[in-house]
Amino acid sequence: MSISFDFESLSERERYKLMIGTVVPRPIALVTTVDENGRINAAPFSFFNCLSADPPILALGVENNPDMSFKDTGHNIRMTEVFTVNIVSFAIAEAMHVCGSKYPRGVDELKHAGLTAVPGTKVASPYIAEAPAAFECKRHVTLELGKSRQIIMGEIVYAHYRDGVVDPERLRVDPAALDAIARLGGDTCSTIRDRFEMLTPKL
Ligand SMILES: Cc1cc2nc3c(=O)[nH]c(=O)nc-3n(C[C@H](O)[C@H](O)[C@H](O)COP(=O)(O)O)c2cc1C
């Protein structure tokens, strides 16, 4: 026996539940931005991944607020054309969650979460000192999907790593030192601590 769903007949909420429970694990970007007055904002996004290395492109799926206004992240990227993706380690999982709360525009979530903003090198948005890695991005293109969601693609222009996370000679990122967490369905998250090696068979 199997269970099937006609996606064209499901509600938006039903599609969402099946998609986020099925496409797992999803990495979490803790996105830092600034508004047009330089005020810092931070929010997590798990509709997130890297899509291309040449050019080096990351994508975020940013939904609008229920009243169709832009989330602060979407607004700020629209206004400043830059953002920073901070990778979320287990050590800052709780702090990331604090940043996911609906604070009014202009409130610096990093202060509430006890995280430290460090000025960006090439972009106006800061990166988070406690994050194991951070990518500074310039907006590349924004796709409007329907009336309530944007796919925002950014080109990585600068990267920061905490000591011990990347081998500076071989550019190998240590997954144990990164200790990134991921989002599964519902409110469930996971670590990525159970790993194995697989070599592509040589033909
Ligand atoms: C782990 C996690 C992942 C999330 N992923 C997304 C996402 O991919 N897209 C989205 O629009 N909101 C996502 N959210 C919700 C936003 O973080 C939330 O709406 C936040 O308040 C937006 O903040 P802002 O208005 O400061 O941008 C996620 C929340 C959490 C906790």
Side-chain angles (χ1 to χ4, degrees):
M1 183 151 68
S2 66
I3 301 177
S4 310
F5 299 93
D6 178 357
F7 253 60
E8 292 180 314
S9 310
L10 297 177
S11 69
E12 182 270 335
R13 181 74 194 156
E14 290 166 336
R15 292 193 297 259
Y16 172 80
K17 286 175 73 173
L18 288 178
M19 287 176 74
I20 67 159
T22 308
V23 183
V24 294
R26 290 185 312 288
I28 303 173
L30 182 51
V31 178
T32 37
T33 52
V34 287
D35 69 10
E36 53 276 38
N37 299 311
R39 295 180 301 184
I40 294 170
N41 190 82
F45 294 88
S46 73
F47 282 179
F48 155 63
N49 222 309
C50 62
L51 299 183
S52 159
D54 186 20
I57 299 291
L58 295 178
L60 307 172
V62 183
E63 199 181 346
N64 287 357
N65 292 314
D67 68 359
M68 287 298 154
S69 62
F70 289 125
K71 289 187 180 181
D72 297 346
T73 301
H75 170 88
N76 291 354
I77 296 173
R78 192 162 285 240
M79 299 306 287
T80 64
E81 303 252 279
V82 297
F83 59 97
T84 300
V85 163
N86 301 273
I87 300 301
V88 179
S89 60
F90 185 71
I92 62 169
E94 291 294 337
M96 172 278 293
H97 231 192
V98 171
C99 296
S101 300
K102 185 78 206 122
Y103 289 101
R105 185 162 294 172
V107 170
D108 178 354
E109 287 89 353
L110 297 183
K111 288 210 173 102
H112 287 271
L115 294 171
T116 314
V118 183
T121 303
K122 287 195 172 180
V123 299
S125 42
Y127 67 98
I128 298 171
E130 293 82 2
F135 288 130
E136 298 186 1
C137 300
K138 292 186 177 167
R139 192 184 70 80
H140 182 72
V141 72
T142 303
L143 304 178
E144 305 279 345
L145 298 189
K147 60 185 191 305
S148 67
R149 187 175 283 270
Q150 293 89 46
I151 306 292
I152 302 172
M153 296 192 199
E155 178 168 355
I156 303 167
V157 294
Y158 208 81
H160 303 273
Y161 290 91
R162 278 174 73 93
D163 283 345
V165 173
V166 65
D167 172 345
E169 304 299 323
R170 298 171 57 223
L171 302 187
R172 186 178 178 279
V173 178
D174 178 357
L178 196 72
D179 201 23
I181 62 162
R183 197 178 198 195
L184 309 178
D187 294 324
T188 310
C189 291
S190 71
T191 58
I192 310 173
R193 293 177 180 170
D194 184 12
R195 293 183 287 272
F196 57 94
E197 305 289 326
M198 283 216 313
L199 295 178
T200 306
K202 287 201 168 42
L203 296 180

